[in-house]
Amino acid sequence: MPTITERLRPTLESVGRRTLVMGVLNATPDSFYDGGRYATLDAALARAEQMLAEGADILDIGGESTRPGSEPVSEEEEIRRVIPLIETVAVRFPEAVISVDTTKSRVAHLALQAGACIVNDISGATFDPRMLEIVAQAGALVVLMHIQGTPQTMQQNPTYDDVVAEVKAILYAHARRAIDAGVLPQHIWLDPGIGFGKTVQHNLQLLRGLPELATLGFPVLVGTSRKSFIGHILGGLPPEERLEGTLATLALAVAWGADIVRVHDVKEAVRAVKVADAVCRERGTILP
Ligand code: HH2
């Protein structure tokens, strides 16, 4: 298998030149949108193949739902859900860039050995004290997301004086800790954590505040896909009805400085960000 550095090279060369699309693949029974759809290895593999064919730059494989109020999953169960899947995807699709969506360092460690090269940690590597050491040792890339509280409690009463300034300061501290732990600065992506301990207004303020977060100098990843604030704005539409609202947020996120978007709907997102890129990014850098 090529090394992590080799597998990350095309991604690192593209980031900032065009918006990258990270496709969500949840091997969970209870994720808020795709829960239960990819519970068998065959179903998950078929979905991975489809997302790659639709132009996903990264596959984000997760085995624990972090939706508000979700129950934590044991390490053994998370390993059982994601490691065989990552191993098989890595063998079947050697060009695929695989990310593991986990907050547990042992899951991350096994995933990196199995073929992942990115660790996507919704806690910003704060839930497991060994996470950054594992990422640094492997030479992997890490997505450090902001969350207020834990998935169990985060939506009870999210409170900020200035949500953009506070999230920015915390993301900067996360990045510093990662660098201190030996993660390469170019292997750090930051994420404001849309929906993770935020009200509808906080989410909207953070989207508007993306240019401010981008000034930290790290690529910014945004995950709005089918989230509840979109349903709320649209008068209570369920997740199945939130695609158009999601695409609106993607175009704005690109315009405001996001470099990677995390989505359930790869085909639609690839088309949306291509058009947004053509409008927003410097001509010549994004067109083939
Ligand atoms: N959102 C979810 C999960 N992981 N990771 C990052 N970096 N940013 C996000 O916004 C983000 C994330 C929630 O979406 P999903 O995986 O579809 O749902 P669930 O947590 O129910 O599995």
Side-chain angles (χ1 to χ4, degrees), residues 220-259:
V220 175
L221 184 150
V222 177
T224 53
S225 189
R226 295 184 182 267
K227 285 189 176 165
S228 67
F229 78 101
I230 295 171
H232 180 90
I233 293 167
L234 297 175
L237 288 182
E240 297 71 37
E241 296 290 332
R242 297 175 189 162
L243 174 60
E244 301 85 349
T246 299
L247 297 176
T249 65
L250 298 187
L252 290 165
V254 171
W256 286 331
D259 283 313

Side-chain angles (χ1 to χ4, degrees), residues 24 26 30-32 34 64-67 101 120 122 143 145 191 194 196 221 223 227 262 264:
V24 179
N26 285 316
D30 57 342
S31 287
F32 82 95
D34 63 352
E64 178 174 50
S65 172
T66 48
R67 72 182 192 289
D101 187 349
N120 173 26
I122 60 117
V143 181
M145 199 194 79
D191 180 341
I194 298 296
F196 286 84
L221 184 150
K227 285 189 176 165
R262 181 183 182 276
H264 301 95

